[in-house]
Amino acid sequence: MGSAKIDKLGKIGFVFSGGSMRGAFQAGALEVVWKQGIHPHYVFGVSVGALNASAAALGKANELIDVWENIDRKDVYRFPVLKKMQRGILFSASLFENDPLIDLMLKFSKKDPKKFRTLQEKEEAIGRALTQGGVTPFGVVATNWQLGQPEVFTNYDQRVLDEPALLAKAIRASGSIPLFFPLVDIGEYQYGDGNAKYFNTLRPAVEAGCDTIIFFHITHSSRPINRYAKMIDVALRVVEMNVALYKEDKDLLNEALSLRESPSGNFQILLNKIKKIRGKDVRLVTIKPSVALPDVGFKATGNFDKNDIRLLIEEGRKAANETLGRENLLII
């Protein structure tokens, strides 16, 4: 019976949205989906979702839980004081460095970061792990800062197969909030935050021909109005608004913002439009929080409270069980 249910889903795509340290919610949700025997044919992610998607592509759902339960600020970013003092903060590429994320990714592959001497060696190791045989087709969205457009890097692109380290660079770039984290050089261009266009993570899954898309979406659609009391929160909001406006026309911006606020409704409208082009349905299963999630991580000025992380993981498990039950996809 369970196998028959899964077969009816056709080609399955997993899509992981961005959302900073709230990515722990996705880890809990992925664990539940994985235990139900629902495994993807394609996986795509953006920002923190790219990190979680890479673990899903490697089949490391359980390891992902362990990584999140033990995560700390130093695993995500660092502030090189001496380097900033020498150059001056205003002349630095960013306030913080996010290369520790590379060490975090190495843990998915059970590799010791200390065995690698340089960042390039680490990126090559991650790239090779994600492009080897048996790994689920995987893609990450990063924004080309010169062109102002999102770009998808996949482990089946010829350019990535020729230079696997590009995939690790793209994952790091996808979560690089401008000003706070450095842009990442890939070829002749610089890449940054993949969330510059809010709805783009679904499109690669649709273009890959997925019949069912399971969307691990972090934002609670009825979240309270944000109050910006801290300088860092105000600065982040300025960056967020300017990135969204960069090279966007008014209609596209309105569509993107509406999709971000109400994913289950507006994304389905978008998929209905795609149906007319493809001639068949695309089933969207959105796993999202039922309540507003706690602030953790960078946006919460360094809050990496273990209890908050565990709460996020549990909320993910709860939301996944409720969603799969509602969609008649619970098997065990």
Side-chain angles (χ1 to χ4, degrees):
M1 179 63 177
S3 178
K5 280 187 180 181
I6 294 175
D7 289 343
K8 288 181 179 179
L9 296 177
K11 189 182 292 184
I12 301 169
F14 282 4
V15 173
F16 295 81
S17 73
S20 188
M21 294 299 293
R22 293 185 180 93
F25 170 90
Q26 294 176 336
L30 176 64
E31 180 190 54
V32 171
V33 172
W34 204 268
K35 285 180 178 179
Q36 294 298 319
I38 303 173
H39 299 165
H41 297 86
Y42 287 89
V43 185
F44 297 96
V46 61
S47 194
V48 70
L51 186 70
N52 289 335
S54 68
L58 290 167
K60 304 293 185 180
N62 292 331
E63 287 83 350
L64 185 61
I65 292 288
D66 183 62
V67 167
W68 276 105
E69 286 182 337
N70 293 285
I71 201 167
D72 193 68
R73 179 196 60 78
K74 66 180 183 299
D75 296 319
V76 181
Y77 65 91
R78 61 187 177 86
F79 183 75
V81 178
L82 182 61
K83 180 179 176 181
K84 300 299 179 185
M85 289 179 62
Q86 290 174 334
R87 293 186 180 181
I89 290 178
L90 293 179
F91 295 96
S92 298
S94 63
L95 286 174
F96 303 98
E97 304 286 345
N98 64 349
D99 49 285
L101 283 176
I102 295 298
D103 292 350
L104 200 61
M105 283 189 278
L106 284 169
K107 293 179 181 179
F108 298 151
S109 304
K110 298 295 184 181
K111 297 181 185 296
D112 183 2
K114 294 179 181 178
K115 292 184 178 180
F116 302 92
R117 293 177 298 174
T118 66
L119 178 62
Q120 179 65 23
E121 288 180 354
K122 293 176 181 179
E123 289 176 335
E124 288 174 355
I126 293 166
R128 285 194 299 271
L130 286 167
T131 53
Q132 67 185 353
V135 176
T136 301
F138 159 74
V140 53
V141 180
T143 301
N144 183 313
W145 227 246
Q146 277 71 33
L147 301 180
Q149 295 293 326
E151 192 170 328
V152 183
F153 294 81
T154 71
N155 61 357
Y156 47 90
D157 283 346
Q158 190 57 52
R159 61 175 174 170
V160 170
L161 293 174
D162 292 339
E163 192 177 344
L166 293 182
L167 200 54
K169 290 179 183 292
I171 295 171
R172 186 159 58 91
S174 187
S176 289
I177 303 170
L179 302 184
F180 294 92
F181 297 129
L183 296 174
V184 178
D185 292 324
I186 301 179
E188 61 181 326
Y189 294 112
Q190 294 171 296
Y191 291 81
D193 192 0
N195 263 331
K197 292 190 176 180
Y198 301 119
F199 59 98
N200 58 19
T201 41
L202 277 183
R203 292 189 172 177
V206 173
E207 291 170 358
C210 294
D211 302 298
T212 299
I213 298 175
I214 297 182
F215 186 30
F216 298 83
H217 190 61
I218 298 172
T219 302
H220 174 51
S221 58
S222 60
R223 65 188 183 280
I225 295 174
N226 287 331
R227 309 300 300 179
Y228 301 101
K230 300 175 184 177
M231 182 176 66
I232 192 170
D233 292 332
V234 174
L236 281 168
R237 182 58 177 157
V238 170
V239 171
E240 184 181 66
M241 289 188 294
N242 279 281
V243 167
L245 286 166
Y246 186 56
K247 287 195 174 180
E248 292 278 11
D249 60 58
K250 184 177 180 181
D251 291 339
L252 190 57
L253 176 62
N254 287 338
E255 181 190 11
L257 290 175
S258 68
L259 292 176
R260 186 189 190 202
E261 295 302 321
S262 181
S264 59
N266 288 284
F267 273 131
Q268 193 59 58
I269 292 172
L270 181 63
L271 293 178
N272 288 339
K273 293 179 182 178
I274 294 167
K275 176 185 175 182
K276 294 180 180 179
I277 299 172
R278 286 185 53 187
K280 65 176 182 177
D281 284 315
V282 179
R283 183 180 181 183
L284 179 65
V285 178
T286 303
I287 300 174
K288 62 177 182 177
S290 58
V291 297
L293 299 177
D295 285 325
V296 292
F298 184 70
K299 285 191 175 183
T301 323
N303 170 29
F304 285 82
D305 185 86
K306 300 295 184 185
N307 291 327
D308 283 344
I309 295 293
R310 292 191 189 99
L311 175 62
L312 288 167
I313 292 171
E314 284 304 317
E315 284 294 328
R317 288 168 175 155
K318 177 183 174 183
N321 274 307
E322 289 176 352
T323 302
L324 295 183
R326 188 167 57 247
E327 296 282 340
N328 193 29
L329 292 175
L330 284 177
I331 297 165
I332 59 175

